[in-house]
Amino acid sequence: MYKKIGTLIIASLMILTVATCGCTESTSSTTVTNEEITTITVVDAAGRTVEVPQNPEKIIALSCALREVVYLQSQDKVVGIEFREAAKKTDGTFPSGLELPYLAAYPELMNLTVVNAGNTVNVEEIAKLQPDVIFVGTSGAGSAEDIQAKTGIPVVIVYVATVGTEAQNEKYYETLELMGKVLGKEDRAEELISIIKEYEADLANRVADIPDEERPTVYVAGRPYMGVHGLDGTDPHWPSFELLNANNVASEVSDVSEGISINKEQLIEWDPEYIFASESSMSLINDDLNDPAYQGLSAVQNGNIYGVLPYCWYSFNKETGIANAYFVGKTIYPEQFEDINIEEKADEIYEKFLGKPVYSVLETQFPGYTKLTNN
């Protein structure tokens, strides 16, 4: 059982990069009851055994873990957020609140107390807020024990990084189940996993009969990692392509979904027929599209460059990854997706994940699903 520390404690602790890593193990639990509180014991994504209150009333989510709290319909329990989530506007290099779907759905969260500044966690502020449990994404796993020791509040490490490959998907499902158990939202966690798998099945069925020779080559550009990138920033297993079994020219570079940079000569050699650009990186993308070296690309010559909403933007917007897949599908396989209105489909997906349609809000922050020009 954990008791809150009411005295002053060390005010800062270095953590929280937006890098993604970590592993998830099977969740187990036991229940203990005494006069004060009922607790459960879980095994978190780092293999740590943690005792947490059952059905916590107040929570904080660090290292980009708030998104999953919202997915699990527990945003009403959140008492503090991160600096980047509270940002009203930035210069386009880093995310701001309304650019993130879960905050577009619940902008009131942006007014909560900020519990970090830059790369430091304000453990003194966390202690004042007295959450019952703290979730920390795997990118901040190294600080979990320190936060727990300095606040007396249980810290649960969760995998909220990218999906894409089967192994990454499974780690994510296990984290949803883990967080669902801690939050008393087991049914919602199972529902969410079912929703994801239903979309996966629909997308796979739509393209199942397309021969390999009729699948055009595709490339995702501007994929952020540790900041924004131009045409050189890509993902060998970008989930939106994986869901369509699309012919990603970068697929041989790595065995997992991750942000990487390739050189100009490599992209020219690959010469993809379609390029999909993350709109979080538009300033750099536009600069590259005006670079004479890229003018000979087939996608440039044929006008097959399209903007997509950011999947990787303050960690990973899983629902946007699914919506992007429908846009990519409708673009490269119009017959198989002729029944899809992409704006309506995006809002359907956002509503299932977040409880609200937010495409119109995101369209005020980004161009939305559109063809790009190099003018």
Side-chain angles (χ1 to χ4, degrees):
M1 281 59 68
Y2 291 84
K3 297 183 179 179
K4 308 297 186 297
I5 294 179
T7 56
L8 293 179
I9 42 186
I10 298 175
S12 64
L13 172 68
M14 296 300 295
I15 70 159
L16 295 178
T17 65
V18 188
T20 55
C21 61
C23 61
T24 302
E25 300 187 13
S26 299
T27 303
S28 64
S29 68
T30 58
T31 303
V32 179
T33 305
N34 72 359
E35 295 179 357
E36 294 182 356
I37 195 169
T38 299
T39 66
I40 59 173
T41 302
V42 299
V43 178
D44 73 7
R48 298 163 61 250
T49 299
V50 188
E51 187 180 0
V52 299
Q54 190 173 41
N55 298 323
E57 295 181 0
K58 296 195 296 183
I59 59 177
I60 285 175
L62 303 175
S63 299
C64 310
L66 178 56
R67 178 182 291 102
E68 277 66 29
V69 170
V70 176
Y71 288 169
L72 291 167
Q73 300 174 340
S74 297
Q75 63 275 1
D76 58 324
K77 298 182 177 183
V78 177
V79 295
I81 62 169
E82 300 190 273
F83 169 78
R84 185 53 55 199
E85 293 167 326
K88 299 298 189 289
K89 193 65 181 174
T90 69
D91 61 2
T93 304
F94 299 101
S96 58
L98 289 180
E99 295 176 349
L100 306 174
Y102 60 102
L103 292 173
Y106 301 98
E108 62 273 16
L109 294 174
M110 296 170 63
N111 297 321
L112 295 175
T113 301
V114 173
V115 295
N116 73 348
N119 290 326
T120 66
V121 169
N122 190 333
V123 291
E124 181 180 13
E125 197 64 53
I126 289 175
K128 290 178 182 177
L129 293 170
Q130 296 190 326
D132 299 307
V133 66
I134 301 169
F135 292 110
V136 174
T138 44
S139 62
S143 66
E145 290 292 342
D146 284 332
I147 296 173
Q148 186 166 290
K150 289 179 170 66
T151 63
I153 299 164
V155 175
V156 179
I157 297 171
V158 292
Y159 179 86
V160 294
T162 186
V163 294
T165 66
E166 183 176 350
Q168 289 171 318
N169 294 347
E170 285 303 315
K171 286 195 290 187
Y172 186 61
Y173 296 152
E174 289 172 5
T175 265
L176 290 177
E177 291 170 344
L178 167 64
M179 294 180 72
K181 184 178 293 292
V182 173
L183 294 169
K185 294 286 187 176
E186 293 97 332
D187 289 347
R188 172 57 181 169
E190 293 305 320
E191 178 187 35
L192 193 56
I193 292 169
S194 294
I195 288 169
I196 295 171
K197 292 183 176 181
E198 285 170 8
Y199 282 124
E200 288 177 346
D202 180 52
L203 289 160
N205 288 337
R206 288 173 181 269
V207 300
D209 295 331
I210 300 175
D212 288 346
E213 61 272 17
E214 295 181 16
R215 295 175 183 262
T217 54
V218 294
Y219 177 82
V220 60
R223 199 282 208 184
Y225 68 96
M226 306 302 290
V228 295
H229 294 266
L231 289 178
D232 65 316
T234 194
D235 187 333
H237 294 277
W238 193 50
S240 303
F241 288 164
E242 295 292 303
L243 290 168
L244 295 164
N245 193 24
N247 189 2
N248 184 352
V249 294
S251 63
E252 298 300 320
V253 176
S254 173
D255 293 331
V256 298
S257 172
E258 62 180 333
I260 63 169
S261 290
I262 52 95
N263 59 45
K264 185 179 298 185
E265 292 73 24
Q266 181 63 77
L267 180 56
I268 292 171
E269 180 182 338
W270 282 338
D271 193 23
E273 295 171 75
Y274 289 84
I275 293 176
F276 294 89
S278 173
E279 291 172 346
S280 56
S281 304
M282 282 311 303
S283 61
L284 296 179
I285 293 291
N286 286 331
D287 288 344
D288 283 347
L289 289 177
N290 287 303
D291 183 339
Y294 288 120
Q295 296 307 301
L297 288 172
S298 295
V300 174
Q301 291 287 312
N302 297 324
N304 286 331
I305 304 178
Y306 296 84
V308 292
L309 295 173
Y311 161 69
C312 177
W313 203 223
Y314 207 62
S315 200
F316 301 91
N317 302 297
K318 279 74 176 184
E319 73 291 301
T320 295
I322 295 171
N324 285 348
Y326 279 95
F327 177 68
V328 173
K330 189 171 180 65
T331 302
I332 66 177
Y333 305 127
E335 291 184 8
Q336 286 77 10
F337 289 81
E338 62 181 354
D339 61 314
I340 297 296
N341 176 297
I342 189 58
E343 290 84 3
E344 292 178 359
K345 193 66 175 180
D347 267 341
E348 172 197 297
I349 295 166
Y350 285 122
E351 191 157 9
K352 287 188 177 182
F353 275 77
L354 303 170
K356 294 182 181 181
V358 297
Y359 181 77
S360 62
V361 179
L362 296 174
E363 220 176 7
T364 68
Q365 308 295 310
F366 303 104
Y369 293 121
T370 186
K371 177 178 281 194
L372 303 179
T373 67
N374 60 337
N375 294 331

